[in-house]
Amino acid sequence: MNLYLRYFDRETLVHSVEEAIDFLSSIDEIGMNPVLESDIRDYVESDVYYPKRYKIRPRIYFIIIKTEAATMQDFKEKRALRPSEGGNKERPASPAIMKLNEEREGWYEGDINFKRVLMVPGTGKFQYRDTQFVARVKARSGIDCYNRIVDHLRGRVDDRSQFPSAKGKNFHFTFLGLCK
């Protein structure tokens, strides 16, 4: 595991936490201290792979990124991305998306939370209101259930209403059973 460090236009790719601490110690503005050094060591030893950002002053940070890249050029060209299972270079689909696209004809109950445009009677102005809509539909998959519910709603609510993504947290569906 290598580390990419950047502070403004100063950047480096190092092969150990000691090299990273030496690089950061060479920058006077960072002010390396035992607490910061301990936190950097903890981050490097952890299983966390997202970039770590350290605050120096208000709106001034340096970052550390864990990488498999052997050289700076490999890192810049994104050649050393973390390997996924099976050696597949494409990002694997999440289980929720796979479940959404799973073909299974039958009855579904879909629950959607969307932003509905409504007129305020006293003022005549319009406002967005969170609205929950639940329906049972005959569909081929979760995404088909979503599409049928949204198509139904589009004809009955203001055009400015906003519908969430089927992949987001504001749409849920349950397979109820096969069609008879």
Side-chain angles (χ1 to χ4, degrees), residues 2-137:
N2 296 321
L3 302 167
Y4 169 79
L5 294 97
R6 187 179 75 219
Y7 179 71
F8 288 106
D9 61 346
R10 297 179 189 176
E11 63 184 359
T12 188
L13 186 75
V14 298
H15 306 289
S16 69
V17 70
E18 283 75 24
E19 291 177 49
I21 292 170
D22 289 342
F23 170 75
L24 295 170
S25 296
S26 70
I27 302 171
D28 293 333
E29 294 119 15
I30 290 179
M32 182 58 74
N33 60 46
V35 174
L36 182 58
E37 182 178 336
S38 173
D39 193 52
I40 292 169
R41 288 183 189 280
D42 291 344
Y43 167 70
V44 171
E45 292 172 8
S46 72
D47 292 336
V48 176
Y49 280 93
Y50 58 84
K52 180 84 172 178
R53 186 171 75 160
Y54 290 92
K55 187 174 188 176
I56 305 302
R57 292 187 309 272
R59 297 188 308 238
I60 306 292
Y61 301 88
F62 73 87
I63 64 166
I64 301 176
I65 300 173
K66 293 181 181 179
T67 181
E68 299 291 331
T71 66
M72 183 66 83
Q73 184 176 1
D74 288 348
F75 179 77
K76 295 283 185 172
E77 294 176 1
K78 299 180 182 176
R79 287 189 198 153
L81 298 174
R82 277 194 313 138
S84 60
E85 292 95 34
N88 187 0
K89 293 246 180 189
E90 294 179 16
R91 211 163 113 192
S94 72
I97 293 173
M98 290 175 63
K99 187 177 177 186
L100 190 65
N101 292 324
E102 180 182 322
E103 291 281 333
R104 200 169 169 194
E105 192 163 342
W107 286 98
Y108 287 82
E109 181 174 88
D111 179 357
I112 188 168
N113 293 318
F114 67 102
K115 301 280 187 190
R116 184 175 184 178
V117 173
L118 294 172
M119 185 175 71
V120 178
T123 64
K125 294 184 178 180
F126 293 90
Q127 71 179 13
Y128 285 102
R129 288 237 176 112
D130 288 333
T131 306
Q132 181 179 21
F133 183 80
V134 180
R136 292 185 176 178
V137 297

Side-chain angles (χ1 to χ4, degrees), residues 146-165:
Y146 171 83
N147 290 334
R148 288 175 185 254
I149 290 172
V150 170
D151 288 344
H152 172 79
L153 290 171
R154 283 196 198 277
R156 289 164 177 77
V157 297
D158 193 293
D159 290 339
R160 296 170 289 183
S161 297
Q162 299 173 353
F163 296 99
S165 167

